[in-house]
């Protein structure tokens, strides 16, 4: 009888243990916070040598593949960075405007123009990732349905910070982190050199954009404001309000402000038109300024300033233009 009771006890204990194990297996796992899930995914992708990485940008958070094979680039500054750090990928660019020093990227892949992406062409090509900036901002939701889309706009007031972020992220995406760091270090040294050259200058500068005969002025905090904001060159006019298209001005205004340095971005040279900056500024009132009399009207690299701002090569050229105005 005792032996039967012992068997019954063992049998009941076994059933209880089996039930407990089953409950533990069926119990739902604790959910990680989204940030931890993203971090875990990034760690796994790094360990695997492929996978994905989450990129935070002004329009949201986008998870993009590492080492993408097909890349659509609408932002010329981003293309500039990719060109400098290198990328083992097939790259598609807008069919209408590509900076001359990046013309090797022109091809027959149909993805649309710099202001109007071709959705059908992109859908058919099936890119792994799409890079855009301000000119394509309105298309972000639609583009994101085709492929992971990253907004790469550079904030003029945080130009160097944003550029470093973009270079670092692109270095990670394309597996070129060491090269990206090397290029950033070299540029930082040049920035420091230019800041030292500008330190203490009393010369006041005016930045203008000419567009097929019209003239606009840009001051602190504007798309060309790094001349004042980063390098500390005094502004000839502190009252210019930041705006995308600048403040429309006249020859009389230029003569009245009378800058020591006149920095000129010729939009016609890169976008098209009939009247270039030299012809636009061929005027007695402009000639009367200190900038004209002292040979300090600087025709800047319009491609760098207007089309590829935020790029490594572009920024290097922009600094050269700034130094030219300082006589360095």
């Amino acid at each position: 009888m005792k032996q039967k009771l012992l068997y019954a006890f063992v049998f009941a204990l076994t059933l209880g243990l089996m039930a407990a194990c089953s409950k533990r297996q069926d119990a739902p796992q604790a959910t990680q916070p989204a940030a931890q899930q993203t971090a875990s995914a990034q760690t796994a992708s790094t360990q695997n040598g492929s996978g994905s990485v989450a990129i935070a940008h002004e329009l949201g958070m986008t998870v993009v593949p590492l080492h993408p094979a097909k890349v659509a680039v609408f932002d010329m500054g981003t293309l500039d960075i990719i060109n400098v750090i290198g990328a083992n990928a097939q790259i598609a660019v807008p069919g209408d405007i590509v900076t001359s020093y990046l013309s090797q990227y022109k091809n027959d892949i149909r993805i649309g123009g710099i202001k109007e992406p071709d959705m059908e062409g992109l859908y058919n090509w099936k890119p792994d990732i799409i890079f855009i900036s301000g000119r394509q901002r309105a298309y972000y939701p639609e583009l994101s349905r085709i492929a992971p889309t990253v907004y790469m706009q550079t904030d003029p007031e945080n130009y160097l910070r944003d550029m470093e972020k973009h270079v670092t992220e692109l270095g990670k995406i394309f597996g070129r982190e060491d090269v990206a760091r090397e290029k950033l270090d070299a540029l930082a040294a040049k920035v420091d050199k230019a800041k030292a050259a500008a330190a203490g200058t009393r010369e006041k500068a005016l930045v203008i954009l000419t567009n097929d005969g019209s003239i606009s002025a840009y001051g602190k905090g504007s798309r060309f404001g790094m001349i004042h904001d980063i390098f500390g060159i005094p502004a000839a006019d502190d009252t210019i309000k930041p705006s995308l298209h600048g403040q429309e001005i006249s020859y009389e205004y230029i003569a009245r402000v009378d800058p020591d340095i006149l920095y000129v971005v010729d939009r016609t040279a890169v976008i098209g038109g009939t009247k270039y900056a030299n012809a636009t500024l061929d005027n007695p009132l402009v000639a009367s300024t200190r900038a004209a009399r002292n040979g300090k009207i600087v025709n800047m690299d319009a491609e760098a300033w207007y089309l590829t701002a935020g790029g490594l090569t572009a920024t290097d050229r922009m600094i050269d233009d700034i130094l030219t105005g300082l006589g360095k």
Side-chain angles (χ1 to χ4, degrees):
M1 180 68 178
K2 289 181 179 180
Q3 190 173 18
K4 289 182 179 179
L5 288 172
L6 178 61
Y7 287 153
F9 175 74
V10 171
F11 180 71
L13 180 61
T14 301
L15 288 177
L17 289 172
M18 290 175 65
C21 289
S22 175
K23 287 180 180 179
R24 284 197 297 270
Q25 289 173 356
D26 294 339
Q29 298 297 315
T31 302
Q32 287 181 308
Q36 292 181 15
Q37 291 179 4
T38 299
S40 298
Q42 291 183 37
T43 301
S45 68
T46 301
Q47 291 172 346
N48 294 336
S50 56
S52 61
V53 62
I55 302 295
H57 53 89
E58 187 179 330
L59 301 184
M61 176 80 75
T62 303
V63 177
V64 304
L66 296 176
H67 309 288
K70 298 168 73 174
V71 182
V73 184
F74 287 92
D75 176 61
M76 291 297 102
T78 300
L79 184 62
D80 179 328
I81 296 170
I82 292 172
N83 180 63
V84 173
I85 68 174
N88 183 21
Q90 184 181 18
I91 295 174
V93 298
D96 51 357
I97 298 175
V98 177
T99 309
S100 64
Y101 69 88
L102 299 172
S103 60
Q104 67 270 30
Y105 291 96
K106 288 183 178 179
N107 52 55
D108 295 328
I109 302 171
R110 188 165 62 91
I111 66 167
I114 199 164
K115 288 188 175 182
E116 189 173 354
D118 181 339
M119 298 301 170
E120 183 180 356
L122 282 163
Y123 179 82
N124 291 333
W125 189 56
K126 294 179 173 58
D128 297 309
I129 185 171
I130 301 171
F131 293 107
I132 66 170
S133 55
R135 292 180 175 92
Q136 308 86 33
R137 181 185 181 118
Y139 294 94
Y140 176 75
E142 194 172 353
L143 290 169
S144 296
R145 289 192 286 269
I146 295 174
T149 301
V150 181
Y151 185 71
M152 301 291 282
Q153 186 70 24
T154 302
D155 178 6
E157 294 188 22
N158 297 288
Y159 183 93
L160 292 176
R161 182 203 68 183
D162 286 359
M163 188 197 66
E164 181 175 1
K165 175 179 180 290
H166 295 159
V167 173
T168 301
E169 290 170 343
L170 290 167
K172 183 174 184 63
I173 290 169
F174 293 103
R176 304 286 288 174
E177 290 137 302
D178 291 345
V179 178
R181 186 69 262 163
E182 176 188 332
K183 298 300 181 182
L184 284 173
D185 289 344
L187 187 63
K190 188 165 185 174
V191 168
D192 289 341
K193 177 184 175 182
K195 284 182 177 180
T201 183
R202 294 184 178 181
E203 292 187 306
K204 295 184 177 182
L206 177 65
V207 186
I208 64 172
L209 178 143
T210 64
N211 180 23
D212 208 16
S214 65
I215 310 172
S216 299
Y218 293 79
K220 295 178 180 179
S222 73
R223 65 193 300 179
F224 308 131
M226 68 156 63
I227 289 172
H228 313 299
D229 303 327
I230 295 175
F231 296 97
I233 299 174
D237 182 1
D238 282 320
T239 68
I240 302 172
K241 294 181 180 179
S243 65
L244 180 61
H245 301 293
Q247 173 182 304
E248 188 173 348
I249 61 171
S250 63
Y251 295 123
E252 289 77 13
Y253 169 89
I254 296 174
R256 176 169 54 81
V257 170
D258 194 15
D260 297 293
I261 309 168
L262 186 62
Y263 288 110
V264 183
V265 179
D266 186 356
R267 182 181 183 275
T268 305
V270 292
I271 301 299
T274 59
K275 195 169 185 179
Y276 294 89
N278 287 341
T280 300
L281 299 178
D282 185 11
N283 179 276
L285 290 173
V286 176
S288 71
T289 62
R290 286 191 293 267
R293 295 197 308 270
N294 296 323
K296 288 203 168 186
I297 296 180
V298 182
N299 288 303
M300 300 199 290
D301 188 323
E303 288 189 324
W305 287 89
Y306 192 78
L307 284 182
T308 51
L312 284 165
T313 299
T315 305
D316 186 81
R317 294 183 179 192
M318 292 156 77
I319 295 173
D320 285 341
D321 287 336
I322 293 169
L323 289 171
T324 297
L326 295 170
K328 305 297 183 180

